[in-house]
Amino acid sequence: MLFPRRCCCCCCCYCQLFHLLSTFIPLKLHQIMNPLLSQTTMNSFQSFLFHYLHNKKAKLLGLWLIWVWGFILIGVSFYATQFMPLPSYFKGQIKKTMLFNGELVDGPSITIFTAPRPFVGTVGERQTLAIRSWLGLSPDISVVLFSQDSSVFSFAELFSHRVSVEPNIDFTFLGTPFFHSMVARSKASSSDVSVVIDPNTVLLPDFIKTIRHAHRLDHDWLLFSSSKSVPHFPFHLDADGKHWIRDGGSRVKTQKLQDFLSQEWKWNLCEEKMLIAWNSGDLPLHKGVLPPFLYGKGLHNRWLINEALLSDFRFVFDASWAISNLYLNDLGQDFDRTSGDFLGLATGKRFWEVAGNSNLAMLYGSLYFHEQNFSNIFRLFQCGGYYLFINSAKMVVYPLRYKGSSSLGKEVMFKSTREKNTLECIDTIRSTEGAKDCSVKNYLNVSMPISLSLSLEILLSFRADKNKTVVLAVVGYSYKDMLMSWVCRLHHLQISNFLVCALDDDIYEFCVMQGLPIFKYAHLETKISFDNCHFGTECFQKVTKVKSRMVLEILKLGYNVLMSDVDIYWFKNPLPLLSSFGPAVLVAQSDEYKLTGPINLPRRLNSGFYYAHSDAMTIAALEKVVEHAANSNLSEQPSFYDMLCGEGGYNRIDDSRCLEPQTNLTVQFLDRDLFPNGAYKDLWQERNVKEACLMKGCFIIHNNWISGRRKKLERQVPSGLWEYDMSTRMCLQTWHKTKFVYF
């Protein structure tokens, strides 16, 4: 009999063993019997042996030997494979079938995004419990924490790779994250499912089951689940984070937790405590752009759900009856909408953040004009071990359909033995619908001022660095986009000690809603033109004089000031270098464009970038500048040079310095290779402006020597020296990919 050279798995072992026996046994018998028998006798014996092996008993014996040796070889092979490295593909398959908490894991990758407060005190303990409850549900869950606080980084280190911190989103100057930036970062995730949730929300095991079922839907989807508040929660997780135990130490089954929750919970959709989840499909969540809501300050969740329902891109459903999520309701909230101190005037709470969200909800989207009735949307619930969708307004129940089925389930559920249980479940859901009725109109109609209500003195004490130094920008609404690009760049450089002085009401309100440390100049005598307030105009002359007045006021309060126009791009932090010149030295950019010769010639001091130390000599010199500018028909820039370096430059002491004789203040003009103006060496005409500047070691580059806001934008945005997406109102991040128009 012939056997193939290649056989599969165990069959190969049997084939080779039978072939071995058929050749090995006659050979060995020949070697043993040869000395005892003659050739003729031997031949007769072999003939007899072969005849014997072919009879029925011999065949049975051979088969038994094959089976025995086969099992031995299989056992040896299994033992040997324990020492063989596995290919990455098989490792992935094994990971997909791991046992977790006694259940077979084969589901989507899930990333839960949240924005915790610092992990201190009771707040830290409850956030820790919540996050551990998420991680204990499945090894497929990872957590991303939006924060810039050091305690959050320390907390994440305790959980290795499963918990990470994302500081690169937009925050207000007080640390409140922006909801639109959180959602954008979540949408950039590579996970199968993204979840945004309050950091105090505890999740129970039905969350992971519901997400796995939803992930199998044959259409892109978005679900939300309102959180249930409980007055107390007498359970905590064990050391491994996999089992719930009572305060006494006894283990609690999931059903007991469900029973506890059903007895203790209160539901109120208006409190905005909910989780929102979506799959990583191709369809957007909604039409249009998500406004810059502040996270946790109201209305942003309702706005997102309302727009998703109206856009009708995704299947949107309420999973509040399928997902158990809870939070303790005794934590002090930032605002109590029912109290007389809703605006926080007595307590000093940040009422402007709620006011800003309310204002955005009224101005953008359809929430104010076309609020969706939540009673008309689909609800997912589990009844009798089955997941069903109910639309109580239409009095229909749909079975949950998966990929490969006809659709999401567009037929009325047929009568079956489960009908009675299903009807009971429906009655339970309908009985709780009244607790979820909520209209945002009551909050949108509240008249709330958009005002920071923080004085300049408070802002200075809060924002100044350890050397009592601040960076100041003075700007009107026409330059709001350049302001935001400038602010985003400072954020990337981790420079936080900046302040913004508003020249008009529009830029003030804009900055409050963008979370900037803003204060208003109260004595402006003219309205700021949007496109006609550039160099040489009357508007420009009056606006620039505000800069020196504000710098002088801050100097008198005891703080050093780096004055910077917002059309200046910062490559690196110049403060260590500028402050090294010491007191009684005003350090300023030179506006000289000639490559050779002195850089401190008449009228070449640029008042758009200078550093002033808070000392008596500097303050006295700045008072002269402000007084001279007030009586001049020109901008403040000529006053700086004429008062400090003298008319015609007669106070010059060399090619880069001046000495004001009455105050003994030295004026140091900065090296143009490090601090180039907009005309120096035609750097703005370089094919790669950033590379050309970095090769010179530039700290900054000024986008001046060009007239008009539009022309500045046309030059700066395409150059790559731009850090702000005007279409989404977010700082550009490494994970952020967008195209925007700057006209």
Side-chain angles (χ1 to χ4, degrees):
M1 181 179 292
L2 298 176
F3 296 95
R5 295 182 63 86
R6 293 178 178 267
C7 300
C8 296
C9 215
C10 296
C11 294
C12 180
C13 298
Y14 294 147
C15 295
Q16 294 179 4
L17 180 60
F18 191 84
H19 180 71
L20 179 64
L21 291 173
S22 64
T23 56
F24 178 80
I25 294 176
L27 179 62
K28 285 299 181 182
L29 287 173
H30 177 77
Q31 294 175 354
I32 294 172
M33 300 297 292
N34 190 49
L36 303 176
L37 301 173
S38 64
Q39 184 66 36
T40 303
T41 306
M42 190 64 188
N43 290 340
S44 299
F45 180 79
Q46 287 183 1
S47 177
F48 170 79
L49 179 61
F50 278 106
H51 178 73
Y52 177 81
L53 288 174
H54 282 80
N55 65 28
K56 186 176 181 179
K57 293 183 178 180
K59 291 180 179 179
L60 291 174
L61 179 61
L63 289 173
W64 277 109
L65 288 173
I66 290 172
W67 277 102
V68 171
W69 280 101
F71 280 115
I72 294 174
L73 290 174
I74 291 172
V76 172
S77 66
F78 275 124
Y79 179 76
T81 56
Q82 305 302 313
F83 302 95
M84 296 174 61
L86 287 175
S88 58
Y89 171 79
F90 289 106
K91 289 181 179 179
Q93 294 301 311
I94 290 174
K95 182 179 178 181
K96 282 292 186 180
T97 57
M98 289 174 58
L99 282 175
F100 189 79
N101 287 354
E103 294 184 9
L104 193 64
V105 174
D106 186 15
S109 59
I110 303 169
T111 302
I112 299 179
F113 298 88
T114 191
R117 294 161 65 183
F119 281 84
V120 293
T122 303
V123 172
E125 293 174 0
R126 292 179 179 175
Q127 291 180 158
T128 300
L129 177 65
I131 295 172
R132 292 185 69 220
S133 75
W134 310 342
L135 296 172
L137 297 176
S138 169
D140 291 327
I141 291 178
S142 59
V143 176
V144 175
L145 308 176
F146 295 120
S147 180
Q148 297 175 328
D149 187 82
S150 59
S151 67
V152 179
F153 283 89
S154 298
F155 171 81
E157 292 176 357
L158 302 175
F159 298 91
S160 185
H161 64 281
R162 294 193 65 192
V163 179
S164 59
V165 182
E166 175 58 272
N168 297 317
I169 66 165
D170 292 347
F171 295 86
T172 70
F173 77 97
L174 294 174
T176 303
F178 279 93
F179 181 67
H180 71 319
S181 188
M182 292 172 57
V183 172
R185 173 61 183 87
S186 303
K187 289 167 64 177
S189 170
S190 59
S191 294
D192 298 324
V193 177
S194 296
V195 182
V196 177
I197 191 173
D198 184 87
N200 296 292
T201 301
V202 173
L203 293 177
L204 298 185
D206 55 8
F207 163 80
I208 191 68
K209 295 178 182 178
T210 302
I211 293 296
R212 287 173 182 169
H213 279 80
H215 185 254
R216 297 168 63 188
L217 287 169
D218 58 356
H219 195 278
D220 288 345
W221 51 268
L222 180 146
L223 69 81
F224 63 94
S225 177
S226 299
S227 300
K228 307 170 184 67
S229 65
V230 294
H232 68 288
F233 190 64
F235 310 104
H236 58 277
L237 288 165
D238 61 10
D240 295 332
K242 297 179 180 179
H243 302 286
W244 288 99
I245 56 178
R246 299 181 187 274
D247 291 339
S250 60
R251 186 177 295 183
V252 182
K253 294 183 178 180
T254 302
Q255 186 58 48
K256 290 291 185 182
L257 291 173
Q258 300 282 3
D259 294 342
F260 171 84
L261 187 59
S262 63
Q263 297 172 4
E264 298 289 338
W265 66 270
K266 291 183 180 179
W267 219 344
N268 187 357
L269 188 62
C270 295
E271 292 184 1
E272 288 273 312
K273 295 280 188 178
M274 63 174 63
L275 69 85
I276 300 177
W278 61 86
N279 70 307
S280 58
D282 298 325
L283 296 176
L285 300 184
H286 58 85
K287 295 178 182 177
V289 177
L290 182 60
F293 289 110
L294 295 180
Y295 180 69
K297 307 304 177 182
L299 299 176
H300 51 76
N301 288 333
R302 286 297 296 265
W303 191 97
L304 177 60
I305 295 168
N306 197 77
E307 293 303 308
L309 286 167
L310 284 174
S311 301
D312 201 27
F313 291 141
R314 290 172 172 254
F315 176 54
V316 181
F317 60 96
D318 185 353
S320 300
W321 286 267
I323 296 177
S324 300
N325 58 106
L326 59 99
Y327 67 96
L328 286 170
N329 62 4
D330 60 341
L331 276 177
Q333 303 298 316
D334 283 349
F335 302 96
D336 180 2
R337 296 180 182 273
T338 62
S339 71
D341 189 40
F342 172 56
L343 299 183
L345 297 177
T347 61
K349 293 180 179 178
R350 306 197 300 258
F351 65 88
W352 64 86
E353 295 182 325
V354 173
N357 276 15
S358 179
N359 185 272
L360 290 172
M362 292 180 64
L363 294 177
Y364 298 95
S366 307
L367 186 61
Y368 181 71
F369 301 102
H370 194 177
E371 182 181 0
Q372 291 293 289
N373 187 348
F374 274 37
S375 63
N376 291 332
I377 69 173
F378 285 98
R379 290 172 169 80
L380 178 66
F381 67 101
Q382 190 175 12
C383 186
Y386 296 91
Y387 281 92
L388 303 171
F389 285 111
I390 178 177
N391 188 317
S392 58
K394 298 180 180 180
M395 293 299 293
V396 289
V397 178
Y398 301 146
L400 179 60
R401 294 285 185 174
Y402 299 139
K403 295 176 182 178
S405 302
S406 58
S407 66
L408 288 170
K410 299 298 185 182
E411 70 276 1
V412 179
M413 183 180 178
F414 56 86
K415 291 184 178 181
S416 68
T417 57
R418 301 194 306 271
E419 185 180 40
K420 182 178 179 181
N421 291 335
T422 302
L423 292 175
E424 291 177 354
C425 293
I426 294 173
D427 289 339
T428 301
I429 292 175
R430 296 185 66 187
S431 68
T432 60
E433 285 182 349
K436 295 191 67 181
D437 289 341
C438 172
S439 175
V440 300
K441 295 288 181 68
N442 298 331
Y443 310 118
L444 293 175
N445 290 333
V446 176
S447 177
M448 293 179 288
I450 307 297
S451 176
L452 198 59
S453 298
L454 296 177
S455 66
L456 175 60
E457 289 80 2
I458 294 176
L459 285 173
L460 285 168
S461 64
F462 186 75
R463 298 293 287 176
D465 65 10
K466 61 181 180 180
N467 298 319
K468 296 193 69 175
T469 300
V470 294
V471 181
L472 177 66
V474 180
V475 65
Y477 188 72
S478 60
Y479 278 77
K480 62 182 176 63
D481 294 324
M482 300 199 81
L483 166 67
M484 289 309 302
S485 180
W486 181 80
V487 167
C488 292
R489 184 57 187 168
L490 295 192
H491 284 161
H492 291 161
L493 294 174
Q494 298 183 351
I495 299 172
S496 60
N497 59 323
F498 65 89
L499 294 176
V500 181
C501 175
L503 294 176
D504 55 62
D505 292 333
D506 291 336
I507 191 63
Y508 179 80
E509 184 173 310
F510 173 83
C511 289
V512 171
M513 298 179 68
Q514 289 294 129
L516 302 184
I518 181 77
F519 64 96
K520 187 186 298 185
Y521 179 70
H523 306 292
L524 193 64
E525 299 176 356
T526 184
K527 183 175 178 61
I528 306 299
S529 171
F530 192 81
D531 279 316
N532 193 31
C533 199
H534 51 270
F535 183 82
T537 64
E538 181 180 356
C539 173
F540 178 83
Q541 294 170 6
K542 292 185 177 181
V543 164
T544 57
K545 295 177 182 180
V546 176
K547 300 177 185 179
S548 54
R549 295 172 190 170
M550 293 312 308
V551 170
L552 180 59
E553 182 176 345
I554 294 173
L555 291 176
K556 290 181 176 180
L557 292 172
Y559 295 89
N560 312 315
V561 181
L562 171 55
M563 174 65 213
S564 175
D565 284 346
V566 296
D567 61 350
I568 295 177
Y569 185 87
W570 291 35
F571 293 100
K572 51 187 174 181
N573 188 354
L575 281 171
L577 174 62
L578 300 179
S579 61
S580 66
F581 287 91
V585 178
L586 187 141
V587 187
Q589 184 183 42
S590 171
D591 231 7
E592 179 58 62
Y593 61 90
K594 295 180 181 179
L595 300 182
T596 59
I599 63 174
N600 60 347
L601 292 176
R603 303 285 174 90
R604 290 308 186 205
L605 188 152
N606 190 307
S607 61
F609 188 86
Y610 62 92
Y611 178 85
H613 195 274
S614 179
D615 56 66
M617 289 175 284
T618 304
I619 291 174
L622 258 292
E623 285 178 335
K624 295 180 61 177
V625 172
V626 170
E627 182 180 359
H628 184 274
N631 298 314
S632 171
N633 293 326
L634 302 176
S635 69
E636 68 170 4
Q637 191 154 297
S639 298
F640 264 88
Y641 191 89
D642 291 351
M643 289 295 97
L644 301 181
C645 291
E647 294 184 11
Y650 58 81
N651 291 337
R652 293 174 55 226
I653 56 177
D654 57 29
D655 288 347
S656 62
R657 291 185 298 165
C658 301
L659 180 64
E660 203 287 312
Q662 295 181 3
T663 61
N664 205 31
L665 175 73
T666 299
V667 179
Q668 175 69 56
F669 287 74
L670 289 164
D671 184 345
R672 291 175 298 167
D673 283 335
L674 303 182
F675 298 86
N677 59 64
Y680 181 65
K681 290 188 176 180
D682 291 327
L683 286 174
W684 280 108
Q685 309 305 318
E686 293 283 347
R687 187 172 183 178
N688 189 326
V689 182
K690 177 179 284 190
E691 182 179 339
C693 289
L694 291 177
M695 288 182 64
K696 290 182 174 296
C698 295
F699 283 85
I700 65 162
I701 183 171
H702 202 152
N703 189 9
N704 66 342
W705 282 94
I706 189 171
S707 184
R709 177 190 65 88
R710 183 179 294 270
K711 291 182 178 180
K712 287 177 181 285
L713 289 172
E714 289 174 350
R715 181 163 75 173
Q716 186 169 345
V717 176
S719 72
L721 304 183
W722 191 259
E723 305 290 335
Y724 180 63
D725 181 3
M726 289 175 272
S727 63
T728 61
R729 291 169 70 169
M730 283 187 286
C731 293
L732 294 174
Q733 307 289 351
T734 55
W735 49 264
H736 188 256
K737 297 179 181 179
T738 186
K739 295 181 180 180
F740 47 86
V741 180
Y742 48 88
F743 297 106

